């Protein structure tokens, strides 16, 4: 039975409630007045219940769809401004004891050169990432307590924070590791991570069990209740997401919203981020063999509805989507994107070797990316689209985590801080890595952003910090 406060995944993601919400959504969507009421309510930026969101997922009328997209854009800009945060994934190990049907790292994929980075190889990867301008990483590892124990992951996090090449620095390490015990979550928290990220893949239990046939990940409850354990162990910022394409997109979107509501109700803090990966082909599998692939139109709608329903959350898009479609999704709610990603262990050093004509190691890729642009190309495209690319990592370093962050995000008061930090980190990027084209594009956006700042104290302080950054000071922030 549905119980938002329960500790049992089968109750806070109650299958009957998801199905009832789907039916409710269909019934409400046939009445234009009810949809108009829902959209009116959403204009207060307070979010929507999973049942109201279910109704928006049923909308097919073109004009109403345009209204939804435009509202999603408005909400994102109200909460976070025009900044788009950039990050890169860093794959540490492709050993995995699970056999997820959709992943290149599945243990069913025979590959004699499974890899785990040595600390020297890790340094090589971090040096490349820092020289690309990255400040924020998402660590990715397969689940394998023997070949990739937690001690190793923590050693890597410590090493990453300590490595500084020229003006480069990784300032925030988000971690995506398998569901684990409270003791392990406490240790990860102590390693000073940013966000703990764990994707649900699908909330539909029979489909979950089918696609995770073996290994610890087969345990649906252990996996679905992981964020609760993480938060009870002191990790305040958690992220989650669905792998769209495994099951019906409406079912999984409603269930994801129920998960967000559960965390808010039981822990007082909703998801820091929601990711929306869409299923892509990988080693050993072709996406065409999955029956629930999501069309671009449906995907755009679900992104917009998530933004409207959970206005305060960061919404993350990866290089699974093509450049053009990424641009479309930015306009309906995405607030963070990965750039220049390699999805294999040692992938950044391998790509560098390949481009200099050396032999490349053929490691496994977790999936096939659809956006192969470098960070610099992504940044130029964002600037041309009127966005402010941001390498900001300020909040968790300034103690703005958990409910302190949520209070700022829910009231829209984070936007001024995001804007100032975006401008400062963009200035750093231009100074350290910018070519002529980027300098021209970037400086013009910096000037117009400073001009548009409504908080005059922040404006004055930003001008001051920009001038210090131009003289060589780094890591100035609000
Ligand atoms: Fe392993 Fe994660 Fe891939 Fe599953 S999705 S096979 S757990 S790396
Ligand atoms: Fe993210 Fe906080 Fe920086 Fe805004 S100020 S971009 S919310 S870290």
């Amino acid at each position: 039975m549905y119980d938002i406060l329960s500790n049992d995944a089968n109750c806070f993601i109650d299958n009957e409630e998801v199905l009832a919400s789907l039916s409710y959504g269909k019934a409400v969507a046939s009445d234009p007045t009810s949809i108009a009421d829902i959209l009116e309510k959403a204009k207060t930026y307070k979010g929507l219940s999973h049942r109201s969101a279910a109704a928006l997922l049923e909308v097919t009328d073109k004009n109403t769809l345009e209204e939804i997209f435009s509202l999603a854009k408005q909400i994102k800009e109200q909460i976070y401004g025009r900044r788009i945060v950039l990050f890169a994934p860093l794959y540490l190990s492709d050993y995995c004891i699970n056999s997820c049907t959709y992943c290149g790292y599945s243990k069913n994929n025979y590959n004699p050169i499974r890899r785990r980075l040595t600390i020297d190889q890790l340094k090589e990867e971090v040096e490349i990432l820092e020289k690309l301008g990255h400040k924020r990483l998402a660590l990715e590892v397969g689940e394998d307590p023997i070949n990739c124990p937690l001690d190793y992951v923590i050693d890597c996090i410590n090493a990453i924070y300590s490595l500084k090449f020229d003006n480069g620095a990784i300032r925030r390490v988000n971690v995506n590791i398998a569901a684990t015990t409270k003791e392990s979550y406490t240790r990860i928290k102590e390693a000073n991570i940013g966000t703990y990220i764990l994707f649900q893949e699908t909330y539909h239990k029979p489909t979950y069990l089918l696609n995770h046939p073996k290994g610890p990940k087969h345990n649906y409850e252990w996996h679905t209740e992981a964020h609760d354990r993480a938060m009870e162990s002191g990790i305040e910022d958690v992220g989650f997401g669905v792998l769209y394409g495994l099951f019906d997109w409406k079912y999984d979107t409603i269930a994801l919203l129920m998960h967000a509501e559960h965390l808010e109700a039981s822990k007082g803090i909703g998801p820091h981020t929601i990711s929306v990966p869409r299923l892509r082909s990988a080693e050993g599998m072709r996406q065409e063999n999955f029956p629930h692939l999501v069309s671009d139109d449906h995907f755009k709608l679900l992104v917009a509805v998530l933004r409207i329903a959970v206005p305060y959350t960061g919404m993350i898009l990866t290089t699974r989507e093509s450049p053009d479609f990424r641009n479309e999704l930015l306009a309906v709610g995405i607030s963070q994107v990965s750039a220049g990603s390699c999805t294999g262990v040692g992938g950044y050093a391998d790509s560098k070797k390949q481009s200099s004509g050396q032999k490349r190691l053929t490691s496994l890729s977790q999936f096939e990316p659809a956006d192969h642009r470098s960070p610099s190309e992504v940044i130029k495209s964002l600037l041309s689209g009127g966005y402010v690319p941001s390498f900001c990592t300020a909040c968790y370093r300034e103690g703005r985590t958990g409910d302190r962050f949520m209070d700022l995000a829910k009231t829209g008061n984070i936007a001024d801080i995001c804007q100032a930090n975006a401008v400062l980190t963009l200035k750093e990027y231009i100074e350290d890595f910018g070519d002529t084209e980027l300098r021209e594009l970037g400086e013009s956006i910096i000037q117009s952003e400073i001009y548009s700042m409504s908080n005059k104290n922040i404006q004055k302080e930003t001008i001051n910090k920009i001038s210090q950054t131009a003289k060589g000071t780094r890591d100035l922030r609000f």
Side-chain angles (χ1 to χ4, degrees):
M1 203 175 109
Y2 181 43
D3 179 356
I4 193 173
L5 289 172
S6 172
N7 291 326
D8 180 346
N10 297 298
C11 297
F12 66 77
I13 311 287
D14 173 47
N15 180 54
E16 294 305 315
E17 173 58 20
V18 183
L19 297 177
S21 303
L22 282 167
S23 305
Y24 171 86
K26 282 190 177 68
V28 169
S30 58
D31 171 18
T33 317
S34 302
I35 293 291
D37 288 348
I38 291 172
L39 289 175
E40 210 43 49
K41 185 171 175 234
K43 285 179 191 161
T44 60
Y45 307 125
K46 298 272 184 284
L48 292 177
S49 70
H50 62 274
R51 286 211 167 194
S52 295
L56 295 189
L57 292 176
E58 296 293 338
V59 169
T60 52
D61 169 67
K62 269 196 173 163
N63 291 336
T64 317
L65 283 173
E66 283 314 315
E67 226 183 301
I68 290 174
F69 297 146
S70 144
L71 179 59
K73 181 173 193 281
Q74 196 183 316
I75 288 175
K76 192 195 87 180
E77 292 193 352
Q78 177 71 27
I79 304 286
Y80 287 117
R82 282 183 297 277
R83 63 87 168 138
I84 301 290
V85 170
L86 295 162
F87 74 98
L90 174 56
Y91 287 78
L92 296 181
S93 164
D94 57 22
Y95 287 99
C96 193
I97 55 173
N98 291 303
S99 47
C100 312
T101 56
Y102 47 82
C103 178
Y105 290 178
S106 160
K107 74 181 258 209
N108 291 346
N109 282 334
Y110 173 72
N111 187 314
I113 52 160
R114 295 245 174 196
R115 295 171 73 185
R116 182 183 96 173
L117 293 179
T118 63
I119 291 295
D120 280 345
Q121 289 167 336
L122 176 71
K123 280 185 189 160
E124 229 186 317
E125 295 285 280
V126 171
E127 181 171 4
I128 295 168
L129 285 160
E130 286 188 3
K131 288 183 173 167
L132 289 170
H134 281 295
K135 303 286 185 279
R136 175 188 291 242
L137 298 184
L139 285 197
E140 310 280 346
V141 293
E143 180 171 10
D144 188 331
I146 307 267
N147 289 302
C148 183
L150 186 62
D151 284 344
Y152 164 77
V153 176
I154 289 175
D155 285 349
C156 288
I157 296 170
N158 292 334
I160 292 167
Y161 279 131
S162 73
L163 291 166
K164 314 270 182 245
F165 298 94
D166 302 325
N167 274 342
I170 301 302
R171 298 172 183 157
R172 178 178 180 125
V173 179
N174 297 333
V175 174
N176 184 345
I177 63 165
T180 187
T181 60
K182 286 189 180 179
E183 291 71 30
S184 296
Y185 283 129
T186 304
R187 292 191 59 208
I188 299 167
K189 153 92 182 153
E190 285 164 358
N192 210 13
I193 63 160
T195 310
Y196 169 62
I197 300 164
L198 182 70
F199 296 160
Q200 178 60 31
E201 324 297 8
T202 175
Y203 289 93
H204 184 248
K205 192 169 170 182
T207 306
Y208 181 94
L209 297 176
L210 193 71
N211 283 286
H212 305 96
K214 284 185 234 142
K217 198 165 169 179
H218 182 70
N219 187 333
Y220 173 85
E221 288 75 18
W222 179 250
H223 188 84
T224 314
E225 293 157 12
H227 301 86
D228 290 71
R229 290 195 300 281
M231 293 179 102
E232 285 156 14
S233 312
I235 297 178
E236 291 181 299
D237 292 343
V238 300
F240 50 57
V242 157
L243 180 57
Y244 281 102
L246 285 181
F247 191 60
D248 172 49
W249 59 279
K250 291 178 191 167
Y251 184 104
D252 270 330
T253 304
I254 293 166
L256 182 142
L257 290 171
M258 286 165 65
H259 197 174
E261 289 165 7
H262 161 69
L263 289 185
E264 254 205 289
S266 63
K267 307 288 181 299
I269 307 168
H272 193 72
T273 55
I274 292 178
S275 299
V276 286
R278 202 157 46 146
L279 199 124
R280 288 277 168 236
S281 294
E283 181 83 21
M285 65 72 92
R286 302 312 303 164
Q287 64 186 46
E288 301 74 36
N289 296 335
F290 285 75
H292 294 285
L293 296 182
V294 185
S295 70
D296 285 359
D297 287 350
H298 289 159
F299 194 63
K300 185 174 171 183
L301 175 59
L302 76 87
V303 167
V305 171
L306 285 174
R307 169 52 69 210
I308 293 171
V310 199
Y312 60 79
T313 201
M315 282 190 63
I316 301 181
L317 192 70
T318 69
T319 53
R320 287 172 184 262
E321 303 301 333
S322 68
D324 286 347
F325 195 44
R326 292 214 316 170
N327 287 340
E328 252 186 80
L329 296 170
L330 286 173
V332 296
I334 295 298
S335 56
Q336 291 189 31
V337 293
S338 53
S341 305
C342 291
T343 57
V345 176
Y348 296 99
D350 278 1
S351 296
K352 197 173 160 198
K353 281 181 193 137
Q354 190 183 38
S355 55
S356 62
Q358 295 177 52
K359 190 170 180 294
R360 182 180 182 177
L361 282 168
T362 44
S363 63
L364 286 169
S365 284
Q366 199 187 30
F367 63 90
E368 290 175 7
D371 183 348
H372 300 277
R373 294 173 300 170
S374 68
S376 167
E377 288 168 316
V378 172
I379 287 169
K380 285 175 190 170
S381 156
L382 288 172
L383 289 166
S384 305
Y387 297 105
V388 193
S390 173
F391 288 97
C392 176
T393 57
C395 276
Y396 96 109
R397 295 190 298 142
E398 293 294 321
R400 291 190 296 264
T401 57
D403 51 358
R404 285 153 328 274
F405 174 81
M406 287 292 153
D407 286 348
L408 287 166
K410 283 181 179 172
T411 52
N413 288 330
I414 199 76
D416 288 343
I417 302 170
C418 287
Q419 184 184 30
N421 283 326
V423 163
L424 287 171
T425 56
L426 176 59
K427 178 69 177 172
E428 271 193 8
Y429 182 84
I430 291 171
E431 291 293 321
D432 292 339
F433 311 102
D435 57 23
T436 313
E437 185 191 358
L438 200 136
R439 272 170 198 276
E440 276 170 18
L441 280 168
E443 289 294 353
S444 138
I445 289 272
I446 287 172
Q447 290 315 316
S448 66
E449 285 296 308
I450 291 176
Y451 181 75
S452 72
M453 286 176 174
S454 52
N455 182 320
K456 295 305 160 194
N457 288 334
I458 291 184
Q459 184 186 54
K460 194 171 156 207
E461 197 49 29
T462 305
I463 293 169
N464 179 24
K465 285 183 179 1
I466 285 280
S467 126
Q468 290 179 59
T469 304
K471 289 181 192 143
T473 311
R474 290 291 172 268
D475 202 13
L476 296 170
R477 59 183 185 263
F478 289 86

